[in-house]
Amino acid sequence: MWDQSEIDPSSRPAFANLTTSIQADVCVVGLGGSGLACLTELLRAGADASRVVGIEAAAVGSGAAGRNGGFLLAGTAAFYHDAVRTFGHDRARRLYELTISQIDAIAAETPEAVRRTGSVRVAASEDERLDCMAHLDALRADGFPGEPYAGQEGFGLLVPTDCAFDPLRRARSLACRIAGRGVRLYERSPVVRIVDGEVQTGEGRVQCEHVVIAVDGRLAVLLPELRPRIRDVRLQMLATAPTTEISVPRPVYARWGYDYWQQLPDGRLALGGFRDYGGEDEWTSDATPTGAVQERIERFLRDELRVRAPVTHRWAAAVSYSTNGLPVFGEVRPGIIATGAYSGTGNVIGALCGRAAARLALGEPAEIADLLAA
Ligand SMILES: Cc1cc2nc3c(=O)[nH]c(=O)nc-3n(C[C@H](O)[C@H](O)[C@H](O)COP(=O)(O)OP(=O)(O)OC[C@H]3O[C@@H](n4cnc5c(N)ncnc54)[C@H](O)[C@@H]3O)c2cc1C
């Protein structure tokens, strides 16, 4: 795992585990980007901090939030023109608008975690080059920024509103702020059951009116009724030592979005994807890196990017993909709101949904609920 605490050990917050029975108005399960956005919004909306609780199975940002590619991408997992075709024009356009605004909100809240670089999507074939052009045309037709791209990474399009992102840094910053406002956060407290207004961990309980489950990977473990709609998948990455062999000014998305890389400010390359090379084995919630995919990522690093710097980190995490390509969002049982299944691109839409879940928990409407309705 690429872990910011290795650079600055003081950056890792630590919270107690839950060992008693407590009460709250709202309990948020999962302290990744979505759950922390939800808690932030609860406070912004005026919720009593002493009546809000956050519970995490492991540590803040230890799930996909702390192990991802660090792209802030507007839209849903589908490329914009595909989203227009699949979800309808008005819905796709509004989702794109909301996610662009969400990138601004994330940058305003945690500027230390965001670099306004833009992103590029490059084509690995002639078919894909034509698809990049269709993607660009659809963005421009709706007045969204985009430009043709030709550079060292290949041909495709550049989306100037996208950003490079340090998701673990953001998660830790938000957790410290939220706890500083008086919200009780607990780590190493996996939720095992939610029943009759009670969230149960191995050693503790939270009695509450509303539960927000902000768990992307393993969402269906807590809510088995979602199983037909979502499936866990393992995504893998590696990082190199700092290198000057290559200069990658902005995150790169390639081969229909399967593969992605960016160069961190200290020169390290973080490179991931190639999930299809692992075949059916990658449809799992097991977060152990595997030889098949790691070897393929490293081959790309050596043969295509021509980087010789040593690989210093290898990691994986589980996320959920939905069958219809849209996140799961809404009240799935009385008093239980679920958000997740971002199909591999949850940094932005996960934060958007997390904030909207807070509004729902406070009894307010959330536009995103209608936009994401199946
Ligand atoms: C390798 C990889 C690369 C990716 N690249 C990108 C990218 O570049 N851009 C992008 O937008 N998205 C990317 N994603 C997807 C993105 O990381 C996720 O969609 C996003 O982090 C989801 O945020 P979250 O807060 O919902 O989930 P998470 O960050 O996974 O947080 C959920 C938290 O819930 C906790 N939890 C789970 N079960 C329980 C339980 N029973 N009780 C209590 N706590 C529990 C977990 O420990 C975890 O900390 C990538 C994912 C991976 C794995």
Side-chain angles (χ1 to χ4, degrees), residues 29-36 55-73 189-192 214-218 221-222 233-237 253 260 272-273 315-319 339-340 342-350:
V29 178
L31 298 180
S34 313
L36 291 162
I55 306 238
E56 165 56 46
V60 165
S62 61
R67 303 178 186 218
N68 74 57
F71 290 44
L72 287 181
L73 301 169
S189 306
V191 170
V192 288
V215 166
D216 187 10
R218 302 176 67 80
V221 174
L222 281 176
V233 68
R234 170 170 53 208
L235 302 179
Q236 305 196 35
M237 296 190 69
Y253 221 23
Y260 41 89
W315 69 92
V319 297
T339 179
Y342 310 114
S343 300
T345 57
N347 284 337
V348 179
I349 203 153

Side-chain angles (χ1 to χ4, degrees), residues 329-345:
F329 179 82
E331 189 164 8
V332 287
R333 295 182 200 165
I336 302 182
I337 297 158
T339 179
Y342 310 114
S343 300
T345 57

Side-chain angles (χ1 to χ4, degrees), residues 20 66 109 148 160 202 227 254 318 339:
T20 55
E109 238 165 28
R227 208 151 260 150
T339 179

Side-chain angles (χ1 to χ4, degrees), residues 10-367:
S10 65
S11 65
R12 184 197 290 270
F15 301 101
N17 56 331
L18 180 66
T19 53
T20 55
S21 186
I22 60 173
Q23 297 192 331
D25 294 337
V26 186
C27 175
V28 177
V29 178
L31 298 180
S34 313
L36 291 162
C38 178
L39 289 162
T40 301
E41 188 67 17
L42 284 166
L43 295 180
R44 181 177 296 128
D48 176 354
S50 70
R51 301 286 306 165
V52 176
V53 166
I55 306 238
E56 165 56 46
V60 165
S62 61
R67 303 178 186 218
N68 74 57
F71 290 44
L72 287 181
L73 301 169
T76 59
F79 294 129
Y80 187 63
H81 58 313
D82 293 328
V84 167
R85 195 174 50 241
T86 311
F87 310 130
H89 181 251
D90 291 353
R91 178 145 77 147
R93 185 173 58 187
R94 185 67 185 135
L95 282 166
Y96 203 87
E97 279 169 1
L98 289 173
T99 48
I100 288 186
S101 305
Q102 191 57 217
I103 291 174
D104 291 340
I106 290 170
E109 238 165 28
T110 46
E112 70 282 9
V114 177
R115 288 180 294 136
R116 289 206 172 266
T117 53
S119 74
V120 291
R121 175 188 168 201
V122 291
S125 64
E126 177 57 14
D127 269 3
E128 194 178 4
R129 194 187 64 77
L130 295 174
D131 194 70
C132 286
M133 293 307 102
H135 182 169
L136 178 60
D137 288 346
L139 286 175
R140 285 177 154 178
D142 281 336
F144 294 126
E147 49 199 79
Y149 181 79
Q152 54 176 354
E153 302 90 350
F155 296 92
L157 72 151
L158 190 156
V159 181
T161 42
D162 291 343
C163 297
F165 181 48
D166 182 339
L168 186 57
R169 191 166 185 183
R170 171 174 161 84
R172 289 176 172 171
S173 293
L174 290 184
C176 289
R177 264 182 237 171
I178 290 162
R181 297 270 307 273
V183 172
R184 290 164 289 170
L185 300 183
Y186 297 93
E187 293 180 318
R188 301 179 312 284
S189 306
V191 170
V192 288
R193 240 172 121 212
I194 302 168
V195 60
D196 296 336
E198 188 171 87
V199 175
Q200 303 176 349
T201 67
E203 297 176 73
R205 309 258 180 285
V206 186
Q207 282 161 353
C208 53
E209 279 176 40
H210 299 282
V211 184
V212 174
I213 304 184
V215 166
D216 187 10
R218 302 176 67 80
L219 181 59
V221 174
L222 281 176
L223 296 169
E225 64 266 43
L226 294 177
R227 208 151 260 150
R229 293 167 56 192
I230 66 176
R231 208 175 166 195
D232 278 350
V233 68
R234 170 170 53 208
L235 302 179
Q236 305 196 35
M237 296 190 69
L238 58 74
T240 69
T243 180
T244 53
E245 297 167 275
I246 187 174
S247 171
V248 184
R250 56 184 74 79
V252 184
Y253 221 23
R255 205 170 58 88
W256 305 99
Y258 271 114
D259 311 329
Y260 41 89
W261 62 96
Q262 67 156 304
Q263 193 161 27
L264 306 180
D266 67 359
R268 288 193 270 183
L269 271 177
L271 166 62
F274 300 91
R275 168 172 69 84
D276 48 329
Y277 286 80
E280 281 298 303
D281 289 352
E282 298 310 296
W283 291 103
T284 175
S285 52
D286 177 1
T288 314
T290 61
V293 173
Q294 287 289 326
E295 279 161 24
R296 187 64 192 82
I297 302 176
E298 189 165 350
R299 185 142 39 95
F300 185 84
L301 173 76
R302 306 300 183 208
D303 297 349
E304 306 293 328
L305 299 183
R306 305 207 161 276
V307 168
R308 298 280 158 263
V311 172
T312 55
H313 297 70
R314 297 180 189 275
W315 69 92
V319 297
S320 293
Y321 276 45
S322 66
T323 48
N324 71 356
L326 289 173
V328 166
F329 179 82
E331 189 164 8
V332 287
R333 295 182 200 165
I336 302 182
I337 297 158
T339 179
Y342 310 114
S343 300
T345 57
N347 284 337
V348 179
I349 203 153
L352 182 63
C353 289
R355 291 188 217 276
R359 295 286 166 180
L360 279 192
L362 295 172
E364 297 171 21
E367 180 187 6

